[in-house]
Amino acid sequence: MEFSEHIKTANVNDVVVQQPLHPPSRGTLCITGHHLLFSDREESSCRQILLLLRNIDAIEKSVENLSAYSGLFSNAAHGERISGSSGTIAIKCKDLRVLKLDIPGMEQCLNIAHSIETLSCLDCASEMYPFFYRPSDLSLQDQWGLSSTEKLYSQMKELHDRWRVSTVNRGYLVCPSYPPAVIVPKNIDDNMLKKVAKFRQGGRFPVLCYYHRKNGMVIMRSSQPLPGANWKRCKEDEDLLQAVIDGSDKGYIIDTRSSQQATQARMTGGGFESKSCYSCWKRLNRQMEKGKALQESLIKLVEACGDESNNMDRWLSKLENSKWLSHVQTALSTAGLLAECVERDGHSVLVHGSEGMDSTLLISTLAQLIMDPCCRSLEGFLALLEREWVQAGHPFMKRCSHSAFSHARLQQECPVFLLLLDCVWQLWRQFPLALGFSEALLLRLATEAYASNFGTFLCNSHQERWALGVMERTHCLFRALLRPRERDYYSNPLYEPTELAIWPSVHPQSLQLWRGFFLRWTQQTRHLEEAQEEIRHMVIKWGKLMPIQKIQNN
């Protein structure tokens, strides 16, 4: 596709931009196939705005009288256009920024609006900016990704007695959302896995995602079984789960649906593991909202955060009605339950909901952060996200196609990855020394998931990335974040690794609104960020001085 087909007006002069935390400015607006570029024409300013069109969630057009702007610019040369009418475009971004463009001439305004609407909604991954992004300090020959199933297995010698790497999904014929290689019990052969896959929704048969070195217990994840209304059985599925707990008296199944939801799923061909067929497994239901309910919760929260009435009672009522912090609480408490089963009770756990691509990944990730110190370093956390979200088949493009402002009808959007980052922020706030990365990393990831220069969050599965050549034709975000300059910026200077589990408090008074994200474009949050950055520099400087003082004292 030629992007120029959708650009009737490529640039406009004398545009006034209003954006958060900055005074209005006048300059030139340009639109390209992937970006909106604004350049301030003030001699005393060199401010530019480069906005990825993919970051735009919605636009709103209106007509305004320009006389309101006459007092904003002291330079007499700008008196050329202070009266009459023109088009105004409000741009609402997926990172929750809101910009307003005052564009002279209704025709030019409508042309720009049409281009933005069209180019920001491209749904063909191969036409998106990551395939065109070529920074001078990165090479497409660089290694893509941080690890692989085979590498992880080779590093964990403890797995070799009872577990193996299976390539049954080579060619993505068994499960389109799984990677080609997975870790499964050694005595379950590939023919058995194929039968199990047919008994699990979407072919997502149980695979190992975590091995607890302290006691040898594991976390498995999958999608729901498919017994249906007639209680169909799969002997191979039963054998696989029995092999997981071989030598143990029982295991737990954490189902992220309510008992009623799991039972109702049988009427549409789904269901759950019956006690009669899986006698050594105890099922625990913990309902977690997903899909439309979670997306609407985000929309209500963002609406509350944009309330300018300054009425505290109204603000608190809107915050509570959004139920976002309730979702945070449920996710953390369910992850805590999972970690408790493994760490304290010493039992292996299978986690699934319906599809096994959303809440399943959410709580398995959080549980690993709670238990495993290796996941809490900067590199370990990024490797965890790569393993549990990118490789495990979370459909990023479907879930993150819109954020909180879009007027489009909800389809498969769901901010479950944003919910994960919020939960991790709660952990980071409660345990400021235990995590090796900063809040800035979480904010960066929240932005990149919705609109990115990199290919890491493109597509909906490993298979789709392979088909489009994402690993060969785009750059890897996680690799870029580990370059020296970025590593320094995104690291936590107070980090003190601990082997202990970090058990989060989920009492309502312990959970807070993630101001750094949801209120990030307010002046108060900006002041707080500046103070935190100053403290970070002081801590780093003090850390460099300490060894010198020790040498001098000796």
Side-chain angles (χ1 to χ4, degrees), residues 1 3 33-35 122 124-135 140 452-454 458 473-475:
M1 183 197 74
F3 296 116
H34 295 106
H35 290 94
L122 295 177
C124 179
S126 62
E127 295 174 352
M128 295 179 184
Y129 188 58
F131 285 97
F132 300 85
Y133 180 56
R134 297 293 180 265
L140 291 178
S452 181
N453 296 339
F454 299 88
L458 272 183
R473 299 169 55 201
T474 73
H475 296 288

Side-chain angles (χ1 to χ4, degrees), residues 399-428:
R399 301 295 186 257
C400 300
S401 62
H402 291 293
S403 181
F405 293 122
S406 175
H407 306 301
R409 182 181 178 186
L410 294 180
Q411 296 182 13
Q412 298 190 51
E413 294 85 359
C414 178
V416 65
F417 187 69
L418 179 61
L419 179 61
L420 167 79
L421 297 176
D422 196 328
C423 292
V424 175
W425 178 80
Q426 305 288 342
L427 280 171
W428 178 85

Side-chain angles (χ1 to χ4, degrees), residues 162-163 185 187-188 192-193 196 199-200 205-207 218 220-223 225 234-248 250-253 272-274 277-282 348-352:
R162 293 186 51 220
W163 303 85
N187 58 349
I188 303 297
M192 295 174 72
L193 290 177
V196 176
F199 188 67
R200 293 277 170 173
F205 56 90
V207 297
V218 300
M220 308 285 288
R221 49 174 161 73
S222 71
S223 59
C234 176
K235 184 67 166 56
E236 291 77 11
D237 190 82
E238 297 166 19
D239 290 344
L240 191 157
L241 292 192
Q242 187 59 42
V244 171
I245 58 170
D246 184 37
S248 179
K250 68 175 178 180
Y252 288 103
I253 297 173
F272 54 90
E273 296 83 357
S274 67
C277 299
Y278 302 85
S279 58
C280 293
W281 289 84
K282 181 177 181 180
S348 293
V349 182
L350 169 66
V351 186
H352 70 70

Side-chain angles (χ1 to χ4, degrees), residues 199 225-233 262-272:
F199 188 67
L226 304 175
N230 296 324
W231 284 116
K232 288 185 293 185
R233 292 181 61 177
T263 301
Q264 288 174 343
R266 288 182 51 220
M267 300 302 105
T268 55
F272 54 90

Side-chain angles (χ1 to χ4, degrees), residues 73-227:
F73 303 97
S74 57
N75 192 331
H78 292 149
E80 308 159 2
R81 183 175 65 87
I82 59 173
S83 62
S85 64
S86 76
T88 297
I89 301 175
I91 296 178
K92 299 185 175 182
C93 301
K94 295 174 183 176
D95 62 7
L96 308 187
R97 221 180 335 171
V98 178
L99 295 84
K100 290 187 178 180
L101 308 177
D102 176 55
I103 301 174
M106 287 301 298
E107 182 179 354
Q108 293 185 106
C109 176
L110 292 174
N111 286 344
I112 292 292
H114 174 74
S115 296
I116 292 174
E117 286 179 322
T118 303
L119 294 171
S120 64
C121 295
L122 295 177
D123 55 6
C124 179
S126 62
E127 295 174 352
M128 295 179 184
Y129 188 58
F131 285 97
F132 300 85
Y133 180 56
R134 297 293 180 265
S136 58
D137 57 342
L138 290 174
S139 169
L140 291 178
Q141 274 65 54
D142 295 340
Q143 181 179 343
W144 212 96
L146 302 180
S147 187
S148 65
T149 302
E150 294 88 345
K151 184 177 179 181
L152 177 69
Y153 181 80
S154 67
Q155 291 171 343
M156 300 190 67
K157 304 299 182 186
E158 306 96 322
L159 292 176
H160 294 185
D161 287 342
R162 293 186 51 220
W163 303 85
R164 70 182 181 93
V165 173
S166 169
T167 56
V168 68
N169 199 42
R170 183 178 293 152
Y172 310 100
L173 298 176
V174 174
C175 177
S177 60
Y178 270 175
V182 292
I183 300 175
V184 296
K186 184 173 270 187
N187 58 349
I188 303 297
D189 63 37
D190 285 355
N191 286 329
M192 295 174 72
L193 290 177
K194 291 176 182 178
K195 294 179 181 178
V196 176
K198 292 178 180 178
F199 188 67
R200 293 277 170 173
Q201 182 169 337
R204 293 177 69 88
F205 56 90
V207 297
L208 182 140
C209 65
Y210 175 65
Y211 178 88
H212 198 47
R213 283 189 163 103
K214 290 182 181 178
N215 57 18
M217 297 299 108
V218 300
I219 298 176
M220 308 285 288
R221 49 174 161 73
S222 71
S223 59
Q224 68 173 338
L226 304 175

